[in-house]
Every structure is written in structure tokens, then in C-alpha cells.
Amino acid sequence: MEDKDAAVELEAVYTEMLQNNLEGLWRMTRDVPEVKPYLWRWDVMSRLVNQAGSFLPMEELAERRAVFLFNPALKHMAGATQTLYAAIQMIQPGEVARAHRHTPSALRFIIEGEGAMMNVENEVVPVHEGDLVLTPNWLWHEHRNEGVENVTWLDGLDSPFVFGLNAAVYEMHPDVYLRETKSRDITSAGNAESLLRPVALEPEATAPQHLVYRWTDVEPALARLAAMETTSPHDGVAIEYAGPNNGHALRTMGCWMQMLRPAEHTEAHRHTHSSVYHVYRGSGHTVIDGQRFDWKQGDCFVVPSWAWHEHVNDSDAHAYLFSMNDIPIMEAFDLQREEALTASGGHQEVTSTFDPAKAAS
Ligand code: GTQ
Ligand code: FE2
């Protein structure tokens, strides 16, 4: 009888707690969205971006013709992971995506098409397939297509992280367009080797800030690295696009290019940082938490935090995987943790195969 009274009283305490926006820690249920591994196929993404684009002129597009990739666990926010936003952006000949700036930082990796010019704080940069262009936060940026074909690139932003901090601030340029429209070609490539750091080596804190990294520098850097065997069992032949933020390109995001040689199969590991991958060239598959994700050129996929993953090149050509990650955020707060899979020669058991048609939400 006493016990029953106590239970009733405790229930009343809980009710009153909730009415006052209080809760016992011992009653807490975890309510953190579990970001899922996922893969978006290039043929689907490019077809839909182009179809939408054929109906919508730039004026109707909130300034950018971008279609973002949302994680099925993050239906109410624009995020491929908790920290990383990714989108496919397309610009048609003659179009200008007007100037703006914002507190989220951004990167663009050019997927296909020639003739685009990116203006970052009045530096005008002609971009080509495979190039990486940065817009560190709060720099004005505008994009133009001065060519004769559509140009498509991958956008990467730290916007989910910045939104999570409630720190997103955005401004349109008062003059609509930036002044400089002619290239001063700052390609900055002068010393490509200092821009491209083997992932297997410790970063140097002092790399200069660069806005553009050329594929024509990255490809030979990877070939040299492969010859030197400065490779990691988990990442293959991998370079980081270096920058001044403890060695990383942006304060919040790092960028890598990984080369997988024919038949190369990396060993599985997991880490607290998350990554979004884009298959620049080649085909193969990645096993993420026991699930097999087959990929080919143009596809994008997510490796969530703390998910086991290993990459396999199934072809007899080199495969190149571009990726963005949130390593700089993890390092800033001392959250970097990593674990290697030691059992079974470092390989996971494959228990299922991902099918985007079935996995769509
Ligand atoms: O091109 O400036 O996909 O500001 C999302 C936000 C692209 C851009 C996006 C942006 C941009
Ligand atoms: Fe922007």
C-alpha cells in the first residue's frame, strides 16, 4: 500500500517536472538522429537537376540551381550528415548566380562542363572538371557560365553545423553582382606540392590559404604518392587539399582525393568524423557497417560517424574518390577517435547490398 502511494506520488513528480520543462536524467531516452549510410546515383541526380532546370530560370531559384542530398535520418534539415551539406548545382550558359555571402563555409568540386567562372571576393577563377574551389565563410561569391554547355558541380557546406549553432547569417550583395568579371587567374598553383598533403602524414599548421586546387596538379601528386608508398591501409593513396586551418582547407571542413589502384581493397576502420564522398572517376564498392554500396562515376555516398567502412576498386582502372569531412570540427574540440578493424584481416562480413530504389524514403 505504501509502495503504491509512493509510485503515484513519483508519477505526480514526473508530471510536474514535464509541465515545468524538467526531466530526470535517469528517464532520458536518446533522441539523436542516427545518420545512415546512403548512396545517391549520378544518373538520377543529374537527370532531376536538369529536368528541374529546364522549367526554372535562375530568377525563380533562390539564386542557385542546387538540389541537396538529405540523409534519410535528417528529413527535417538539409544535411547529408549532422555537419555536412552536399548538393548538385547546375548553371546554364549565360546565367549568373548572383553574389552573396554567409557564415557557412563552402566548397565546390567541378563534376562536368567547361566555361564556368567563379568569383570569390573579386578573384575570378575559370574552373575545369576536377578542380576544387573554396569559399571560406563570409567571402562574397558569385558564379557565371560564360561557356556553351551546362556546368555541374558538387557543393559542400558546413551549414548543418552552423544551423545547429544558430549562427547562420546571410547577405545578398547590395550591387547584385561583383565588380570584377575578368579573370586575374589567381590559380595559385605556383607550389602545388605544398597544397596537397599526403593524408598519411601529420598536417602542418602553416599552409597558406588557397581558393583553387587544380585537378591537373592533383592527379600527378597522387601518382607520385603511389610511387613513394606513403599510403595508409585504410585510405589508400590519399591526399588532403591543405590549408591554414591546422592544415585543413576550411575551418570546419577538410577535403580529400583518394586514389584506389586496380583491385585495391582498403582495411576497415571507423572514426568520429563523418564524410560525404563523390566518385570522380572509376567504379567499385564501399562496405559500410556490413552493407555493400556499389558506386560508379558521379555517385555520392555518406560514411556516417563511427561506421565501419572499407573501399574496393572492382575495375582494372584507377578510381578517384573526392570527399569532404568534418575532421577540423572534431579536432577543434578534441573529439577525434578512431578504431581499426583487426579481425578477419581488417575486412567486414557483407550482410546486405544497398539498393537506392528500395532505400528511398
Ligand atoms: O552556390 O553559393 O548549394 O550559398 C547552398 C548554398 C550553394 C552557393 C548551395 C549556397 C550555394
Ligand atoms: Fe553561397
Side-chain angles (χ1 to χ4, degrees), residues 64 100 102 108 141:
R64 301 292 189 262
H100 69 201
H102 33 71
R108 338 259 163 216
H141 51 284

Side-chain angles (χ1 to χ4, degrees), residues 9-24:
E9 267 180 52
L10 188 55
E11 215 35 64
V13 170
Y14 289 149
T15 303
E16 206 182 336
M17 277 187 186
L18 285 181
Q19 286 164 349
N20 289 281
N21 279 39
L22 297 166
E23 183 59 296

Side-chain angles (χ1 to χ4, degrees), residues 81-299:
T81 79
Q82 300 94 326
T83 49
L84 301 169
Y85 162 104
I88 304 296
Q89 182 167 166
M90 189 270 277
I91 183 164
Q92 296 173 351
E95 287 181 334
V96 184
R98 60 166 294 179
H100 69 201
R101 64 180 178 182
H102 33 71
T103 51
S105 291
L107 61 92
R108 338 259 163 216
F109 182 82
I110 311 303
I111 298 173
E112 67 178 21
E114 291 294 325
M117 310 281 271
M118 291 190 172
N119 187 325
V120 182
E121 288 272 327
N122 285 320
E123 302 276 12
V124 179
V125 186
V127 295
H128 311 288
E129 288 179 8
D131 291 350
L132 174 69
V133 180
L134 304 178
T135 33
N137 61 9
W138 211 242
L139 298 192
W140 294 111
H141 51 284
E142 117 190 338
H143 321 304
R144 291 172 185 265
N145 185 345
E146 299 184 349
V148 295
E149 56 185 4
N150 293 349
V151 180
T152 307
W153 60 77
L154 176 74
D155 285 320
L157 281 86
D158 57 8
S159 44
F161 175 68
V162 176
F163 279 111
L165 298 173
N166 234 346
V169 180
Y170 162 92
E171 267 182 20
M172 288 201 277
H173 197 281
D175 304 333
V176 183
Y177 301 119
L178 294 177
R179 229 172 326 111
E180 205 72 40
T181 54
K182 275 207 195 63
S183 174
R184 285 190 270 143
D185 207 353
I186 50 147
T187 56
S188 47
N191 189 358
E193 298 206 23
S194 72
L195 299 180
L196 304 169
R197 181 182 63 76
V199 164
L201 302 182
E202 280 301 309
E204 285 171 42
T206 54
Q209 178 75 69
H210 281 276
L211 298 178
V212 192
Y213 303 77
R214 301 289 182 193
W215 172 244
T216 48
D217 292 323
V218 173
E219 192 175 24
L222 286 165
R224 280 196 302 276
L225 194 54
M228 283 163 22
E229 287 293 334
T230 315
T231 60
S232 130
H234 302 114
D235 301 314
V237 181
I239 57 111
E240 170 156 20
Y241 298 81
N245 311 289
N246 292 322
H248 307 300
L250 294 162
R251 287 287 275 273
T252 44
M253 290 185 287
C255 301
W256 290 13
M257 182 64 80
Q258 283 165 267
M259 178 172 84
L260 300 172
R261 290 159 288 189
E264 184 156 2
H265 187 163
T266 64
E267 291 173 22
H269 71 160
R270 60 180 180 179
H271 36 62
T272 46
H273 68 263
S274 58
S275 304
V276 179
Y277 279 85
H278 166 73
V279 183
Y280 181 51
R281 296 281 186 263
S283 60
H285 71 272
T286 297
V287 182
I288 310 173
D289 277 345
Q291 196 177 5
R292 176 181 167 131
F293 291 78
D294 286 285
W295 42 255
K296 53 184 193 292
Q297 188 170 323
D299 293 351

